[in-house]
Amino acid sequence: MALLHQATLTPSKLELLQQFVPGRSWFTDGGPLEAIGAFRWDDPAGEVGIETHIVRSGDGLFQLPVTYRRAEYPSAELIGTTEHSVLGHRWVYDGCTDPAYVNALAVALFTGAPQAELWYDVDGTPERREPSVRVTVDGERSEVPLIDDVSVIDEDLSTLIRAGGCEFVVQRVLGDAVPGRARLTGTWDGQDIPVGLAAVRV
């Protein structure tokens, strides 16, 4: 369960992502980013916010996983920092380089664990909201590997993550199927046919 706050972020999430994507091998600049939706996974330790954004730039759809931390984490690639009107200063990282995200991805792919339920704190009362992106996993189930060190390679359409003796593919440019022994797909308003988001190869 993810308990979220109705808060203002300065700069906003979309502004941070806009400064992150230029120059990426998989990004084709079609103009300012437009938010399509997002989904979250839970951090078992309750320390890291794990959120994946689906955005549009021109005719392109892109997947941007991020993590939010309350303290610096030098092992991951920093996207930027933001001021959260409730939680204070936050460091925002490229999720593909952060073991917290990779572990959540592995848990989903290897066990079929669902995305986090979204609860918003509304004047002290929790209210459940439907996610704007809904994800499912298909493929074989097996034990989750230990995720410690993470190595990342950006490719033309995706990011390859090596961790825990496995290769995870996170599709950055959405549209093509993502082959693998277990696959993550997503749907959102206006996109009823599941779109390939990620897979594990090994």
Side-chain angles (χ1 to χ4, degrees):
M1 182 187 79
L3 180 60
L4 307 174
H5 300 273
Q6 293 185 318
T8 300
L9 274 71
T10 307
S12 69
K13 296 175 183 179
L14 206 57
E15 288 170 333
L16 286 170
L17 295 175
Q18 185 71 65
Q19 73 182 32
F20 167 68
V21 293
R24 299 286 158 173
S25 60
W26 41 261
F27 182 68
T28 303
D29 191 350
L33 298 186
E34 173 193 352
I36 301 300
F39 67 93
R40 284 182 174 255
W41 280 314
D42 287 322
D43 170 30
E47 292 293 322
V48 182
I50 303 170
E51 185 173 38
T52 296
H53 297 270
I54 307 298
V55 301
R56 185 188 306 278
S57 176
D59 295 330
L61 277 177
F62 302 91
Q63 178 181 198
L64 305 174
V66 300
T67 55
Y68 307 102
R69 289 179 174 269
R70 68 180 68 185
E72 289 185 85
Y73 186 74
S75 298
E77 182 179 358
L78 182 68
I79 293 176
T81 62
T82 186
E83 291 297 328
H84 190 289
S85 61
V86 175
L87 301 176
H89 199 68
R90 286 294 180 268
W91 283 259
V92 183
Y93 293 94
D94 175 15
C96 291
T97 67
D98 191 326
Y101 166 80
V102 180
N103 182 70
L105 175 64
V107 169
L109 288 171
F110 281 98
T111 73
Q115 66 197 88
E117 290 188 352
L118 302 182
W119 292 82
Y120 281 81
D121 184 347
V122 180
D123 297 327
T125 301
E127 288 187 6
R128 188 176 184 275
R129 305 276 180 87
E130 289 299 317
S132 52
V133 175
R134 299 159 293 280
V135 297
T136 57
V137 174
D138 66 88
E140 61 186 76
R141 303 288 186 261
S142 60
E143 186 176 348
V144 180
L146 176 64
I147 303 297
D148 40 31
D149 291 337
V150 172
S151 80
V152 173
I153 301 173
D154 276 340
E155 301 180 330
D156 288 342
L157 302 176
S158 61
T159 295
L160 176 65
I161 305 170
R162 292 190 174 98
C166 301
E167 287 188 351
F168 301 94
V169 179
V170 175
Q171 196 74 3
R172 296 291 201 166
V173 183
L174 301 183
D176 294 335
V178 189
R181 56 186 275 199
R183 297 161 298 280
L184 179 77
T185 60
T187 59
W188 51 88
D189 288 349
Q191 181 61 54
D192 297 326
I193 299 174
V195 174
L197 299 178
V200 58
R201 288 179 180 168
V202 180

